[in-house]
């Protein structure tokens, strides 16, 4: 007796109910989005780490803070450079102003750096919520497609009044395929989210550490000028 031809993935999709097809297409789009976000984040975090290393090297090289500020203030900056520029801008407004008021300057500088850190963290975390959503909801969406497909298969079985395995198996396979796609989307999303959340935390700690060091440097400058 010749064996039945194996069912291809395209056959599973083609013969699925329209609701199951909709679920599959949505999960495939989500999977593509997950990988696109992952590639974008890998590039972003790599560039950010290199920018931090380069800035720290310039900052601790003994170069004048005014010279470093002038070289950075004329172009868009991110990460530590943005933190430095924001603090120096606030410093110069008070030092070079006519009133030369130092009252509350330390607090203003720390506030400016806190706001800049939050803005940088928000930039690093952008679209991570998509990964978290796909990672948590993907299996359940796939399960919904599976449940719907199984219900449809049982209705077809009841209508045909044929319960042989040859009739039941294709419909069950089509339904389970939705769960498989959900897992294919959710597993990488969860892995990437956990990895990137840890990377954001590391970079946030570096920013906060630099903010504390730079705040101490400016605090000594304020004490010397008062």
């Amino acid at each position: 007796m010749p064996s039945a031809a194996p069912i291809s993935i395209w056959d599973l999709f083609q013969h699925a109910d329209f609701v199951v097809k909709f679920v599959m297409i949505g999960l495939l789009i989500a999977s593509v989005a997950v990988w696109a976000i992952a590639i974008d984040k890998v590039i972003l975090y790599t560039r950010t780490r290199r920018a931090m290393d380069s800035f720290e090297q310039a900052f601790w090289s003994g170069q004048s803070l005014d010279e470093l500020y002038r070289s950075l203030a004329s172009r868009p900056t991110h990460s530590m450079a943005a933190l430095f520029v924001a603090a120096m801008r606030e410093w110069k407004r008070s030092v070079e102003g006519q009133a030369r008021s130092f009252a509350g300057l330390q607090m203003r500088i720390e506030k400016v750096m806190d706001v800049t850190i939050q803005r940088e963290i928000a930039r690093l975390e952008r679209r991570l919520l998509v990964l978290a959503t796909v990672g948590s909801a993907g299996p359940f969406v796939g399960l919904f497609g599976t449940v719907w497909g199984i219900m449809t298969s049982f209705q077809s079985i009841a209508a045909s009044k044929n319960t042989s395995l040859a009739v039941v198996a294709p419909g069950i396979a089509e339904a389970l395929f939705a769960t498989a796609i959900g897992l294919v989307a959710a597993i990488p999303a969860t892995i990437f989210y956990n990895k990137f959340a840890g990377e954001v935390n590391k970079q946030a700690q570096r920013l906060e550490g630099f903010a504390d060091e730079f705040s101490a440097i400016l605090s000594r400058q304020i004490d010397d000028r008062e």
Side-chain angles (χ1 to χ4, degrees):
M1 182 177 179
S3 59
I7 302 175
S8 67
I9 291 177
W10 174 248
D11 290 334
L12 292 176
F13 174 81
Q14 191 174 17
H15 295 98
D17 184 77
F18 78 95
V19 174
V20 181
K21 286 181 179 178
F22 180 77
V23 169
M24 291 179 181
I25 292 173
L27 289 172
L28 286 173
I29 293 173
S31 181
V32 172
V34 164
W35 284 97
I37 292 172
I39 293 171
D40 176 70
K41 290 302 179 184
V42 168
I43 295 172
L44 173 64
Y45 296 154
T46 301
R47 288 178 177 174
T48 303
R49 282 196 304 270
R50 290 176 180 173
M52 284 185 178
D53 294 340
S54 177
F55 173 79
E56 283 186 322
Q57 184 177 2
F59 182 82
W60 297 110
S61 65
Q63 180 182 3
S64 167
L65 294 182
D66 289 333
E67 292 178 1
L68 183 59
Y69 171 72
R70 284 193 294 270
S71 66
L72 294 174
S74 59
R75 62 176 187 268
T77 55
H78 294 291
S79 192
M80 280 185 188
L83 197 60
F84 171 78
V85 169
M88 285 296 293
R89 185 177 293 118
E90 186 63 33
W91 163 268
K92 286 185 170 295
R93 284 173 182 169
S94 297
V95 172
E96 297 177 357
Q98 294 181 353
R100 291 181 177 271
S101 173
F102 293 98
L105 177 57
Q106 181 74 24
M107 185 179 298
R108 292 197 301 274
I109 289 174
E110 291 177 355
K111 185 65 176 178
V112 164
M113 287 195 291
D114 287 341
V115 171
T116 305
I117 289 174
Q118 294 303 317
R119 187 180 299 119
E120 288 301 309
I121 292 176
R123 183 178 68 90
L124 295 173
E125 289 181 337
R126 191 174 299 133
R127 292 193 296 276
L128 287 188
L129 184 59
V130 175
L131 299 182
T133 302
V134 174
S136 60
F140 296 103
V141 175
L143 183 60
F144 167 75
T146 295
V147 171
W148 186 277
I150 290 175
M151 289 171 55
T152 303
S153 296
F154 284 161
Q155 289 174 353
S156 301
I157 292 169
S160 63
K161 297 181 181 181
N162 187 346
T163 58
S164 66
L165 189 60
V167 175
V168 175
I172 301 299
E174 294 163 8
L176 291 175
F177 187 46
T179 296
I181 296 178
L183 293 175
V184 167
I187 292 173
T190 302
I191 294 173
F192 288 139
Y193 175 79
N194 291 332
K195 176 178 174 56
F196 295 152
E199 184 67 27
V200 170
N201 185 53
K202 288 180 183 178
Q203 297 196 11
Q205 288 179 355
R206 289 187 67 180
L207 290 173
E208 290 170 357
F210 172 75
D212 291 339
E213 291 177 332
F214 192 43
S215 178
I217 293 173
L218 294 181
S219 178
R220 288 193 292 270
Q221 299 258 357
I222 293 172
D223 292 341
D224 293 340
R225 289 173 179 265
E226 287 182 338

